[in-house]
Amino acid sequence: MQFAKTATAAALLLAAATGAAWAEYPERPIQLIVPWGAGGGTDAVGRLLGAEIQKELGVPVNVVNRTGGSGVVGHSAIANAEADGYTIGIMTIEIDMMHWQGLTELTYEDFDILAIVNADPGGVMVSADSGFDSVEALLESIKSEPAGTYKASGTGQGGIWHVGLAGWLLSEDLAPDHVTFVPSQGAAPGLTDMVAGGVDIIPSSLAEGRSMIDAGRVTALASMSAERQEAFPDVPTLAESTGSDWTVAVWRSVAAPAGLPDEVKTKLMDAIETAYNSDEYQTFMQDRGFGLRWARGDDARDIVAADDAAFGEVMKQAGLAAE
């Protein structure tokens, strides 16, 4: 009798173990962390992607906003989760800047980067009544005037568009602080300040200035991209206009803690690619003026790594990197 009980128990354990081995990911809800606040662009992209991934994988994808620390809190929550595929998140370009600023030791190497799903190049925008109709004319004036004559804004101190401006100035053989940067809470208040005469230049993405450009209040002089943007075909690149080789874009990616099992990683990347190609996602991004960019796995990681190195060099030269 005792042998029978032991045999039965062993059989149950074997069945449980076999069942666990056969269980196919995912079996339960997935958490998608957004490191920025509800209602913003990253939150909107994350929620739409989450809904499309949910359709593909057949389990709930619950979006959770984890804000604070200039993105450190949310990115840390993604990186420090268990690498089992049940916690993923929207990793933004700030991951390539936070550690240079000394805000965290976290870098892109702490993640499995699954895909880049969006990129919006920076641009050079001025008020429509500035008198400038080309970036060449603006640059000539900047070079002819003393340092500090012109002011720019569009993000916080050391933020992406501050780095974007510094990189452009360096590429034009100017000191990275030749144009004074005035910190703001983002591109929208920066644009409002520019139209009111408080600053002269906004180097943020053209997508962020689209409504004011369409309203005739802001003039887009150049795009910090390798090619002209599809949404702004009449706006030349810096390379076309001044010969500058500087390019910069804010991107959003989907990432997970480093160390995902290969089969889980592949399944997630496949689901994200299906979500990216869905009519819902494509239409949403185009309607909002967001740039579409797809890179998967190692290709995405290469882009993130290259930006990390480039930003580090610019931030050091601009005095924005921690000692």
Side-chain angles (χ1 to χ4, degrees):
M1 182 67 71
Q2 183 63 37
F3 174 79
K5 288 182 178 178
T6 303
T8 301
L12 289 172
L13 286 171
L14 178 61
T18 304
W22 286 349
E24 187 175 350
Y25 169 86
E27 298 179 278
R28 53 187 171 86
I30 295 170
Q31 177 178 241
L32 190 155
I33 295 173
V34 174
W36 306 100
T42 301
D43 179 65
V45 170
R47 289 181 185 278
L48 181 57
L49 273 177
E52 294 304 310
I53 294 170
Q54 178 172 304
K55 292 179 188 176
E56 184 67 14
L57 294 181
V59 297
V61 176
N62 302 316
V63 176
V64 178
N65 298 90
R66 296 288 299 275
T67 61
S70 299
V72 172
V73 171
H75 285 92
S76 296
I78 300 167
N80 294 331
E82 189 171 349
D84 57 6
Y86 290 101
T87 298
I88 60 176
I90 303 298
M91 187 180 77
T92 60
I93 198 167
E94 281 76 14
I95 195 65
D96 280 348
M97 304 168 68
M98 297 185 296
H99 68 100
W100 292 114
Q101 293 172 285
L103 298 178
T104 180
E105 295 183 359
L106 200 68
T107 75
Y108 71 89
E109 294 180 336
D110 295 297
F111 300 84
D112 277 345
I113 303 171
L114 304 173
I116 288 176
V117 295
N118 153 247
D120 293 308
V124 179
M125 293 179 281
V126 296
S127 176
D129 61 7
S130 67
F132 295 110
D133 59 4
S134 71
V135 74
E136 298 98 317
L138 173 64
L139 180 62
E140 183 179 346
S141 184
I142 290 172
K143 287 184 172 181
S144 68
E145 298 291 342
T149 300
Y150 285 92
K151 298 180 176 63
S153 188
T155 189
Q157 181 74 13
I160 179 59
W161 302 128
H162 190 178
V163 175
L165 172 70
W168 175 45
L169 295 175
L170 286 166
S171 76
E172 303 287 4
D173 297 321
L174 288 166
D177 59 352
H178 191 88
V179 173
T180 300
F181 194 82
V182 180
S184 72
Q185 293 300 311
L191 286 159
T192 300
D193 190 24
M194 182 175 72
V195 170
V199 296
D200 308 291
I201 304 165
I202 299 296
S204 76
S205 67
L206 300 185
E208 292 174 290
R210 185 170 187 169
S211 62
M212 285 197 176
I213 294 171
D214 291 345
R217 302 178 69 191
V218 166
T219 300
L221 299 181
S223 173
M224 296 180 182
S225 52
E227 299 176 350
R228 293 194 183 198
Q229 298 182 49
E230 185 175 340
F232 302 93
D234 297 328
V235 180
T237 66
L238 287 175
E240 289 179 84
S241 303
T242 71
S244 168
D245 61 357
W246 175 249
T247 61
V248 66
V250 290
W251 42 253
R252 296 179 175 98
S253 70
V254 185
L260 283 182
D262 288 343
E263 63 274 16
V264 171
K265 186 187 299 186
T266 298
K267 193 158 191 177
L268 277 169
M269 288 193 293
D270 288 346
I272 295 164
E273 187 163 4
T274 298
Y276 176 88
N277 289 319
S278 68
D279 290 341
E280 290 81 358
Y281 186 76
Q282 294 286 313
T283 300
F284 171 83
M285 297 298 279
Q286 291 167 12
D287 288 349
R288 291 284 293 264
F290 289 141
L292 286 160
R293 184 177 190 181
W294 173 255
R296 171 175 169 148
D298 290 342
D299 290 339
R301 189 178 186 83
D302 288 346
I303 292 167
V304 176
D307 280 350
D308 186 272
F311 289 166
E313 288 303 312
V314 171
M315 293 176 77
K316 289 173 187 176
Q317 292 182 62
L320 300 173
E323 296 294 333

